[in-house]
Amino acid sequence: MYDLNILLDEVIEQCEIPQGYKRPTISWTSENMTAPGQYQYWLNKITISRLLNTDKVSKEAVMSVIFHELLHQETDEHSEDFERKLMTFSEYRALEEELDLYLENPDRLTLALITANEHFDLSQALFCVVPHEKYEDYLESFVFYNRFFYMDIGEKKIFPNELMEIKTPSIIWLAKQKSKFFVIGWSRHNQIYQQQQNMRQENLGGEDFDYQIKTKYEDFHILPARNCKCTILKSKLPRNFEKHGICRVSAVPEASVQEAADFINQYNGEFYQIGITDDVIDACSPLIETDTEKIISLSMASEDNTLRSLCLANLAVKQDPCFDTIYNRADALRWATFFDEAAVELEKAHQLNPTDSPAIGLCVQVSVILGAYDKAAQYIALLSDDDIEELESDALDQCIEFLDKLS
């Protein structure tokens, strides 16, 4: 119906777009994405929901989505300045309303076949509810940290002994709203703990959080709220379900379980992205820039957005793999909680400049976080008392104190 590359060229020619960036690639989604479009900074790629590839949606509406996503080359935020720029597209609000009305129509799903996902195994599966009073707060239960997802279901929850006998169960995640529980996601190969566990590394340069379930990034899938269409009535779940926060699927009526399983196995929409995937680790920013000092400055200014910070750091290393760029990349990896990769890059930086005390201090912190205490002690031995005092790093001081207690 629509040729997206032609429409992208028209938008670039007709509109005020971010300058200094490479032209992005563009394609239709393979799934029934309910958001109109998406921009992936690390791939410099715009994807448009294939649901819009129809004569029921105007060409101008599709172009408005492309323009919206193109502006995200510059920022992830929907700030006042971002909104002002959106309004430079002719009739943007009217086109946005056209898209909203179309995408809210359930009949749109007839436009594309739903393909089944990998079959979700129910034989050792559990239902688990996140511990938030407000349904829309469910994302706060999940933490991405060093390639794993950690899930907290609330303090003082003790899992029954019978559940602990299940090895690496699958979990269907639920969030409560009034008398209903919405399916908000699912995960496979989970490691569960009978009681709440604690990660306490903020004072060492990491993060503090609680968790009771842990799984690998690739085994975890969480839905955007607009796609949480499957519900289970409270009356269908065991009486003590909310007390424990978890139960076997076998404790729930078969019809309710099958409805949830069908929803999962037939789901063909998008997932909410939490954390950073492995394909970002080496990806470069689409920024057109050769001044590495400027790129490093932009990377450091983007630390609140770990993905952009890392992509900018990668670009700087690509332009000039020297101490400054490699050290900046190591720090960006640390902020993104990729501690193993950060340790490798820090060692590279240390080899290039063995006397740089800030780099040595960061080597100590990352080594302690990874549990490489002997390595951390070796780095500390390279720092004088004056070096440590000049660094004025609370995290480094905490690491040294921690190691002293171990010895």
Side-chain angles (χ1 to χ4, degrees):
M1 178 67 196
Y2 292 118
D3 186 320
L4 290 177
N5 279 290
I6 291 176
L7 296 187
L8 174 60
D9 288 338
E10 289 188 33
V11 170
I12 292 173
E13 182 180 341
Q14 298 172 14
C15 302
E16 182 181 341
I17 63 168
Q19 299 298 306
Y21 292 88
K22 296 178 181 178
R23 183 188 188 278
T25 60
I26 190 167
S27 65
W28 297 105
T29 60
S30 58
E31 72 278 359
N32 297 337
M33 189 168 77
T34 53
Q38 180 185 55
Y39 175 66
Q40 295 169 299
Y41 182 80
W42 66 100
L43 298 175
N44 195 27
K45 179 181 179 180
I46 295 172
T47 49
I48 305 298
S49 174
R50 67 177 183 175
L51 298 174
L52 305 187
N53 195 17
T54 170
D55 59 7
K56 295 181 180 179
V57 176
S58 67
K59 170 186 171 182
E60 291 74 19
V62 177
M63 288 178 65
S64 74
V65 177
I66 295 173
F67 178 64
H68 181 125
E69 301 308 328
L70 199 54
L71 291 182
H72 280 308
Q73 281 192 311
E74 206 166 46
T75 178
D76 284 343
E77 303 296 325
H78 287 82
S79 62
E80 288 185 9
D81 184 56
F82 184 88
E83 293 294 328
R84 180 189 61 77
K85 290 177 180 177
L86 281 180
M87 294 307 107
T88 64
F89 193 94
S90 179
E91 302 295 326
Y92 184 84
R93 286 295 182 221
L95 295 170
E96 185 178 44
E97 184 175 347
E98 175 190 336
L99 291 164
D100 287 344
L101 288 172
Y102 171 71
L103 289 171
E104 287 172 4
N105 178 7
D107 291 341
R108 73 186 186 280
L109 293 178
T110 61
L111 296 172
L113 294 175
I114 291 184
T115 53
N117 296 314
E118 176 188 349
H119 182 70
F120 193 81
D121 182 15
L122 293 174
S123 62
Q124 297 291 314
L126 307 171
F127 281 115
C128 191
V129 63
V130 296
H132 295 287
E133 292 184 5
K134 294 183 178 179
Y135 155 76
E136 59 269 22
D137 292 338
Y138 63 85
L139 291 174
E140 296 178 12
S141 297
F142 309 105
V143 176
F144 173 79
Y145 198 65
N146 202 24
R147 278 201 170 85
F148 284 88
F149 272 106
Y150 295 82
M151 289 74 83
D152 180 31
I153 67 166
E155 61 180 345
K156 298 181 180 179
K157 292 280 175 62
I158 300 177
F159 291 165
N161 290 331
E162 63 182 67
L163 296 185
M164 302 308 299
E165 297 172 0
I166 306 174
K167 304 300 182 183
T168 61
S170 296
I171 293 178
I172 299 174
W173 292 95
L174 305 176
K176 184 182 178 184
Q177 187 176 49
K178 297 181 180 179
S179 62
K180 293 180 179 180
F181 288 83
F182 285 77
V183 174
I184 60 169
W186 50 90
S187 53
R188 296 177 171 87
H189 312 301
N190 297 277
Q191 182 176 348
I192 64 174
Y193 302 85
Q194 193 157 25
Q195 299 184 48
Q196 189 181 68
Q197 306 293 299
N198 312 115
M199 181 72 75
R200 296 292 180 264
Q201 295 187 337
E202 185 174 14
N203 62 340
L204 306 176
E207 295 181 21
D208 288 351
F209 55 89
D210 303 316
Y211 65 98
Q212 206 161 347
I213 299 172
K214 173 183 175 182
T215 193
K216 292 181 180 179
Y217 186 98
E218 59 268 24
D219 292 326
F220 176 82
H221 306 284
I222 198 74
L223 309 182
R226 62 181 173 271
N227 289 2
C228 298
K229 305 296 185 183
C230 179
T231 62
I232 299 175
L233 293 174
K234 180 180 178 180
S235 60
K236 302 296 183 181
L237 292 159
R239 188 176 301 175
N240 61 357
F241 177 62
E242 291 184 74
K243 176 184 176 181
H244 294 302
I246 197 166
C247 75
R248 288 179 180 266
V249 296
S250 56
V252 178
E254 185 177 349
S256 297
V257 173
Q258 192 59 52
E259 185 177 348
D262 289 345
F263 173 75
I264 293 169
N265 291 325
Q266 296 178 0
Y267 183 77
N268 192 237
E270 70 271 35
F271 294 104
Y272 196 96
Q273 183 179 339
I274 306 174
I276 297 178
T277 55
D278 281 358
D279 59 349
V280 178
I281 290 179
D282 297 310
C284 289
S285 165
L287 183 71
I288 301 171
E289 179 61 65
T290 57
D291 185 338
T292 56
E293 288 189 10
K294 182 177 180 180
I295 300 170
I296 289 173
S297 179
L298 290 170
S299 175
M300 294 174 66
S302 302
E303 283 181 347
D304 288 341
N305 186 321
T306 54
L307 188 153
R308 284 181 181 255
S309 177
L310 179 54
C311 289
L312 285 161
N314 291 338
L315 177 63
V317 172
K318 183 179 180 181
Q319 300 284 9
D320 182 14
C322 62
F323 170 80
D324 288 339
T325 60
I326 293 172
Y327 177 71
N328 177 65
R329 180 171 190 262
D331 203 26
L333 285 163
R334 179 179 69 92
W335 279 104
T337 76
F338 284 109
F339 297 115
D340 294 293
E341 287 78 8
V344 172
E345 293 301 293
L346 282 168
E347 180 60 27
K348 289 180 185 177
H350 175 61
Q351 293 298 323
L352 290 170
N353 190 348
T355 61
D356 188 86
S357 54
I360 296 171
L362 205 56
C363 286
V364 174
Q365 290 176 228
V366 172
S367 295
V368 171
I369 288 172
L370 291 172
Y373 304 134
D374 290 343
K375 189 71 173 176
Q378 292 172 16
Y379 284 125
I380 290 174
L382 300 175
L383 295 171
S384 67
D385 291 341
D386 288 342
D387 289 334
I388 294 170
E389 186 175 346
E390 288 177 9
L391 286 173
E392 296 182 339
S393 169
D394 290 338
L396 177 59
D397 292 341
Q398 290 287 336
C399 287
I400 294 171
E401 182 180 338
F402 175 79
L403 291 169
D404 285 342
K405 290 179 180 179
L406 288 180
S407 60

